[in-house]
């Protein structure tokens, strides 16, 4: 069984890059950029025809998603890294054919492959999503020499489990199944 292990301690910069990627790769992020850039272009093209209030409104709208939001995301990333103990300490990851195990001190969590929703690979990191907003962040610089190996293992396991549906053997359903075939 193949296993890859490494420790990760996220920095504010790495968390910021993830947050920017997550925010601006969505439809709402792209729409925000289009609105901001459109406002700046409109302001520049029609500057002499607009009154000062319109120019200010267009400038604020133009800067909202191109400058203001990225600055706010960076600030939020810095605060989160400083205040969140689970980010401040090293997280130990073990990626295997069974799933992804993450541990920190006495705490431990395990994610099975069928629970992984998607993965994104960027130039410097891999993001593994368990929900639309919850993801493991694997910066290439912190995965030692195991980054490419980890990417391949994650890809292979996600492909293997893409159509997997876990069986639900709750006691109520088991009782129903057992009594359906019996006659009184």
């Amino acid at each position: 069984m193949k296993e890859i292990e490494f420790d990760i301690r996220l920095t504010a910069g790495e968390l910021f890059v993830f947050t920017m990627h997550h925010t601006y790769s969505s439809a709402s992020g792209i729409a925000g950029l289009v609105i901001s850039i459109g406002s700046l272009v409109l302001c520049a093209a029609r500057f002499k025809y607009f009154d000062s209030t319109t120019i200010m409104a267009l400038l604020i709208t133009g800067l909202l998603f191109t400058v203001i939001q990225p600055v706010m995301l960076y600030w939020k990333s810095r605060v989160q890294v400083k205040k969140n103990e689970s980010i401040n300490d090293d997280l130990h990851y073990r990626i295997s054919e069974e799933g992804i195990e993450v541990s920190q001190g006495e705490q431990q969590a395990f994610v099975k492959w069928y629970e992984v929703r998607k993965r994104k690979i960027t130039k410097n990191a891999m993001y593994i999503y368990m929900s639309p907003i919850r993801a493991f962040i694997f910066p290439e610089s912190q995965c030692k020499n195991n980054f490419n190996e980890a990417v391949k293992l994650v890809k292979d396991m996600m492909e293997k489990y893409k159509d997997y549906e876990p069986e639900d053997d709750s006691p109520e359903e088991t009782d129903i199944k057992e009594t359906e075939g019996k006659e009184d």
Side-chain angles (χ1 to χ4, degrees), residues 102-151:
V102 59
S103 58
Q104 183 180 54
E106 300 289 321
Q107 297 179 342
Q108 184 175 350
F110 189 80
V111 175
K112 295 182 180 184
W113 288 113
Y114 62 83
E115 297 173 306
V116 174
R117 294 181 69 151
K118 70 178 178 178
R119 72 176 163 77
K120 286 192 175 185
I121 299 169
T122 65
K123 180 179 170 185
N124 298 316
M126 175 170 54
Y127 309 125
I128 300 175
Y129 288 84
M130 280 67 63
S131 75
I133 58 171
R134 207 178 99 224
F136 291 135
I137 302 171
F138 298 138
E140 182 178 15
S141 62
Q142 294 194 42
C143 293
K144 303 178 185 171
N145 296 327
N146 298 324
F147 185 75
N148 292 331
E149 229 179 305
V151 167

Side-chain angles (χ1 to χ4, degrees), residues 75-173:
W75 187 257
K76 187 177 177 181
S77 296
R78 280 190 54 195
V79 169
Q80 189 173 357
V81 166
K82 284 182 180 179
K83 291 189 176 188
N84 192 336
E85 290 180 22
S86 65
I87 292 177
N88 280 335
D89 219 358
D90 286 353
L91 294 167
H92 181 76
Y93 289 93
R94 184 177 62 85
I95 303 173
S96 70
E97 293 175 1
E98 295 173 359
I100 303 170
E101 179 183 309
V102 59
S103 58
Q104 183 180 54
E106 300 289 321
Q107 297 179 342
Q108 184 175 350
F110 189 80
V111 175
K112 295 182 180 184
W113 288 113
Y114 62 83
E115 297 173 306
V116 174
R117 294 181 69 151
K118 70 178 178 178
R119 72 176 163 77
K120 286 192 175 185
I121 299 169
T122 65
K123 180 179 170 185
N124 298 316
M126 175 170 54
Y127 309 125
I128 300 175
Y129 288 84
M130 280 67 63
S131 75
I133 58 171
R134 207 178 99 224
F136 291 135
I137 302 171
F138 298 138
E140 182 178 15
S141 62
Q142 294 194 42
C143 293
K144 303 178 185 171
N145 296 327
N146 298 324
F147 185 75
N148 292 331
E149 229 179 305
V151 167
K152 182 176 178 356
L153 181 58
V154 169
K155 179 184 177 198
D156 292 346
M157 291 297 103
M158 286 185 69
E159 183 65 29
K160 180 178 177 180
Y161 285 92
K162 73 178 180 182
D163 296 323
Y164 180 80
E165 290 290 328
E167 292 182 23
D168 184 16
D169 287 334
S170 63
E172 296 155 355
E173 287 187 28

Side-chain angles (χ1 to χ4, degrees), residues 5-59:
E5 294 189 48
F6 45 83
D7 293 323
I8 292 180
R9 180 184 292 225
L10 287 178
T11 64
E14 292 163 340
L15 189 57
F16 170 67
V17 169
F18 165 74
T19 307
M20 287 288 290
H21 180 70
H22 180 76
T23 301
Y24 288 106
S25 64
S26 68
S28 62
I30 293 168
L33 280 176
V34 169
I35 290 168
S36 283
I37 292 169
S39 295
L40 291 173
V41 168
L42 182 62
C43 184
R46 307 288 293 172
F47 184 79
K48 63 182 176 181
Y49 301 109
F50 290 139
D51 61 23
S52 60
T53 306
T54 304
I55 291 170
M56 286 301 285
L58 287 171
L59 284 176

